[in-house]
Amino acid sequence: MTTDAKRTVRVSKTLSRVLRHDPASIGVTLDEAGWVAVDTLLAALGRHGTRVDRAELDHVVETNNKRRFAYSEDGSRIRASQGHSVAVDLGLSATEPPPVLYHGTTGRNLEAIHRDGLRPMSRQDVHLSADTETAVRVGSRHGRPVVLVVDAAAMAAAGHEFRVSANGVWLTDAVPAEYLHPLA
């Protein structure tokens, strides 16, 4: 990995921490929908040791393989697309899910998942993917991946709500264990 690529990853991780979990760490406040002015963010990052200009920020947003960040329509504000542990309302409408969705995890979590289902833990929502490849990638971050199939059609029929973020991650409040099955 080149130095530039390492820098891009480091800036992306900093943005994730600030825009999803701890905006106060650099003295910024997210609005109720998770937005912060780009100029405010860049100035605060600089004051806290991470000098980033707009061109580099644009590069990080454009090249992030998970499309974690989004600009407002006029480009003056930025936010994380999902994954917040701080309270925000992304304003996402309920959306009919595909018949099945997937969740990547590791074997050490299976006992609790079979008992309690999927819960958001420290985040606001449970994150699901529309394809197994993404679920494998997510599960791989913490060990050997296990992919669970979510019967999204049955959940929706039972009244559970789904939303889809700007980067294609499916969100729901929780997934009860009866809607989960191992990937065949």
Side-chain angles (χ1 to χ4, degrees), residues 56-168:
E56 184 177 19
L57 183 64
D58 289 347
H59 174 75
V60 170
V61 171
E62 291 168 14
T63 61
N64 184 273
N65 64 341
K66 295 181 183 178
R67 299 185 335 240
R68 282 194 170 120
F69 316 106
Y71 285 123
S72 59
E73 285 187 29
D74 67 0
S76 68
R77 298 175 300 153
I78 187 171
R79 72 177 179 184
S81 296
Q82 96 292 322
H84 298 83
S85 59
V86 297
V88 299
D89 179 359
L90 296 174
L92 302 174
S93 300
T95 303
E96 183 76 22
V100 296
L101 291 166
Y102 304 94
H103 181 78
T105 188
T106 59
R108 69 177 171 271
N109 297 328
L110 289 178
E111 183 179 333
I113 290 170
H114 289 309
R115 182 183 63 241
D116 303 327
L118 295 173
R119 297 171 294 137
M121 308 307 282
S122 64
R123 301 210 177 150
Q124 288 188 298
D125 298 291
V126 171
H127 295 185
L128 305 170
S129 60
D131 60 81
T132 57
E133 294 81 12
T134 301
V136 167
R137 203 167 42 249
V138 169
S140 296
R141 294 184 312 196
H142 303 290
R144 187 168 180 209
V146 175
V147 176
L148 298 173
V149 178
V150 177
D151 189 346
M155 280 184 66
H160 294 270
E161 185 177 287
F162 291 84
R163 297 165 314 282
V164 63
S165 68
N167 62 350

